[in-house]
Amino acid sequence: MPITAIVGARVLTMDRQRRELDPATVLVEDADIAAVGRSDQVTVPAGVPVLDARGKAMIPGFVNAHTHVNLSDWLFNVLYPGLAGYDAADVECACLLYVVEALRGGATTIVDNDHVLPGDWMAAARASVTAFDRAGLRVVYARMFADEIDTRLPGYADTIRATEPDVVHASVRRPLAAVLRDLDELVDTFHGTSSGRVSVWPSPTSLRTVSLDGLRASAEFAARRGLRWALHLAETPLERAALAMGSVDWADRHGLLDERLLAGHCVDVDARDIRLLKRSHVAVSTQPVSNCFLGSGIAPVPAMLAAGLPVAVGTDDANCNSSVNMLGDLKTLALLHRGVTADAAAITPERVLEMATIDGAQALGMADRVGSIEPGKRADLVLVDLARPNLVPCHDLAATLVFQATGSEVTDVFVDGRQVLADGRPTFLTAAEERELLSDAARRSSALLASAQVAAIRPWRTRGR
Ligand SMILES: [Zn+2]
């Protein structure tokens, strides 16, 4: 017996035929989509609660394929010192703050490359997973680690740290044996929990900060436990300098490229690298806003797509994006590649939406469950209010969502059939709790910056550096 009917929306199914149904009826039964069709073809059974979605668009929930819920100068002098001070209560607060923002940007699935520093890993993981469970988000908890900081660039970290002598610097290194024990415990404890919404992956940070043994162990761990794994790969040209060759080339020569790998960024890659990634069936996640924010470069996404590589999209960290809003980032993704290739056909809005939904699900190995609105899949659904001045007129829905939406138009979100955002408000917090969350987050942030002695406000700089 269906428990909810969502009636009247203009639905982009993202199914194989990419059908658009208008007006549509979607029946949600427990966690699953029971029926999808034009409203004159789907009967709403008597007694079922109906959510009136007229005037709204419905899309599958976005897959944020690379983010950090809780990277040289910035990594060592800002991020690591700040993260070192997090306790479990800070982690919980950060997760809830993240979720209330991410849901309003339409994300229902995220890959959280968790970055909390080696204090009590299990306490931090438990705080994260508990908060995600409360909020109902679908999460890959990808545990990052670094077991070797600058073997390939001797003195690298110390040179950068020396530029900010007042900051309380933190060690990010954790021995590999301990990392592998932690990963086993994390998978045993959390993988498949929250009705299957939580997965756990290894996420060795990058080729710069993880030993070859650590990288190989991550790939082997993923294969042995039936998981995928994440890695920041070729994020900046600095890696090429450290390895004396391209990162993808290096990873390929060391047998690290496999079909379980979700490679984050892939900015500094050439045509040969793209062929190597394709040959090994590696999935890529691109983070256009983060790459611009940090001045890392621009990933050759149109070339990767043309080569048939699966490319997902991520916001990356709030720290290197300034928001975690998937809907808001899509325009940048499209415009960036049209601009840099001087080709308005380089990337279409339809392709951008595929990357953010069904292709993202594919990259995570979840396309059987999420990424499109089809019977039998989980009901991860997003409603977008089309009655906004910037969304009128809306002739072509894909183009409207990518180019006209700003990221503030999401009104309702369902994950696993549970409504987690209703009329723009999270259902797992009262209005008073949400207000308290925001002030609590601001207080905790100030306290963490103060204890790490990281300057929150810097002198006015008209020029960089
Ligand atoms: Zn990242």
Side-chain angles (χ1 to χ4, degrees):
M1 183 72 170
I3 55 167
T4 310
I6 307 170
V7 177
R10 188 171 166 183
V11 173
L12 268 186
T13 60
M14 302 307 290
D15 65 7
R16 222 173 266 282
Q17 298 82 40
R18 306 289 189 257
R19 284 181 307 154
E20 182 177 331
L21 307 167
D22 181 26
T25 293
V26 175
L27 300 182
V28 175
E29 183 174 4
D30 298 324
D32 296 332
I33 297 166
V36 185
R38 283 213 347 240
S39 291
D40 56 4
Q41 290 168 348
V42 176
T43 308
V44 178
V48 165
V50 172
L51 191 146
D52 182 358
R54 284 173 298 176
K56 294 181 179 177
M58 182 193 284
I59 51 176
F62 291 130
V63 175
N64 187 343
H66 181 110
T67 185
H68 306 261
V69 173
N70 282 321
L71 279 151
S72 298
D73 172 45
W74 177 78
L75 266 185
F76 288 98
N77 290 331
V78 180
L79 189 66
Y80 290 152
L83 288 175
Y86 269 61
D87 63 21
D90 294 324
V91 171
E92 185 190 359
C93 176
C95 288
L96 287 174
L97 178 67
Y98 180 99
V99 175
V100 298
E101 183 183 356
L103 288 175
R104 289 187 172 104
T108 52
T109 300
I110 67 165
V111 179
D112 174 16
N113 290 280
D114 192 21
H115 217 262
V116 174
L117 294 180
D120 187 339
W121 274 30
M122 285 305 285
R126 196 174 298 282
S128 292
V129 172
T130 304
F132 293 135
D133 182 59
R134 176 178 173 193
L137 204 65
R138 193 178 302 285
V139 176
V140 175
Y141 185 79
R143 197 57 176 85
M144 285 177 83
F145 70 89
D147 68 330
E148 189 175 89
I149 301 310
D150 53 4
T151 314
R152 299 188 190 96
L153 275 183
Y156 161 69
D158 284 342
T159 308
I160 294 168
R161 289 183 181 124
T163 63
E164 294 286 350
D166 295 339
V167 166
V168 181
H169 291 103
S171 168
V172 297
R173 193 179 161 275
R174 186 160 174 87
L176 182 57
V179 167
L180 293 172
R181 271 200 310 275
D182 294 337
L183 281 169
D184 262 320
E185 192 178 349
L186 286 171
V187 173
D188 291 343
T189 310
F190 299 116
H191 187 73
T193 59
S194 298
S195 311
R197 287 194 308 276
V198 174
S199 320
V200 178
W201 297 358
S203 178
T205 303
S206 75
L207 303 189
R208 274 178 288 150
T209 53
V210 179
S211 66
L212 180 56
D213 283 349
L215 295 162
R216 286 188 170 139
S218 299
E220 283 162 16
F221 184 90
R224 179 160 49 83
R225 305 292 309 249
L227 314 168
R228 300 207 168 195
W229 62 296
L231 170 69
H232 292 70
L233 186 66
E235 182 173 356
T236 75
L238 184 67
E239 230 167 65
R240 181 181 295 275
L243 301 167
M245 70 174 77
S247 309
V248 171
D249 204 350
W250 190 92
D252 182 61
R253 284 175 200 222
H254 291 90
L256 295 168
L257 301 182
D258 66 35
E259 72 286 352
R260 295 180 180 277
L261 174 60
L262 177 59
H265 298 295
C266 294
V267 169
D268 182 27
V269 298
D270 59 20
R272 181 166 171 277
D273 294 333
I274 291 172
R275 284 198 298 277
L276 294 175
L277 292 168
K278 171 72 182 161
R279 190 179 70 187
S280 299
H281 308 285
V282 174
V284 171
S285 173
T286 188
Q287 283 68 243
V289 175
S290 160
N291 296 153
C292 291
F293 193 103
L294 293 174
S296 303
I298 296 171
V301 167
M304 294 191 218
L305 295 172
L309 269 184
V311 184
V313 196
T315 58
D316 215 344
D317 197 335
N319 287 311
C320 55
N321 177 313
S322 288
S323 77
V324 289
N325 187 312
M326 283 288 288
L327 183 58
D329 277 11
L330 298 184
K331 184 172 186 173
T332 305
L333 171 64
L335 295 187
L336 188 65
H337 296 295
R338 288 179 176 200
V340 80
T341 56
D343 178 4
I347 190 162
T348 62
E350 291 89 340
R351 172 61 101 164
V352 167
L353 285 176
E354 288 169 352
M355 292 168 68
T357 57
I358 188 67
D359 291 359
Q362 202 105 44
L364 272 56
M366 294 185 182
D368 59 330
R369 277 164 285 164
V370 300
S372 60
I373 303 174
E374 297 180 75
K377 284 203 177 182
R378 303 291 180 274
D380 288 10
L381 309 167
V382 168
L383 289 173
V384 179
D385 184 9
L386 295 175
R388 302 285 178 99
N390 55 309
L391 301 190
V392 175
C394 171
H395 301 297
D396 181 304
L397 186 51
T400 297
L401 291 172
V402 172
F403 290 119
Q404 291 169 235
T406 61
S408 64
E409 300 87 348
V410 170
T411 56
D412 302 83
V413 177
F414 294 77
V415 185
D416 251 1
R418 173 185 166 205
Q419 188 162 14
V420 290
L421 195 77
D423 273 332
R425 286 226 47 263
T427 59
F428 47 90
L429 296 172
T430 64
E433 284 170 340
E434 190 184 355
R435 277 195 302 276
E436 175 52 26
L437 172 69
L438 302 190
S439 33
D440 190 31
R443 268 196 307 273
R444 288 176 186 278
S445 169
S446 299
L448 284 166
L449 289 172
S451 71
Q453 295 191 38
V454 172
I457 300 172
R458 63 182 204 181
W460 190 276
R461 296 178 205 173
T462 301
R463 293 157 62 96
R465 307 202 193 280

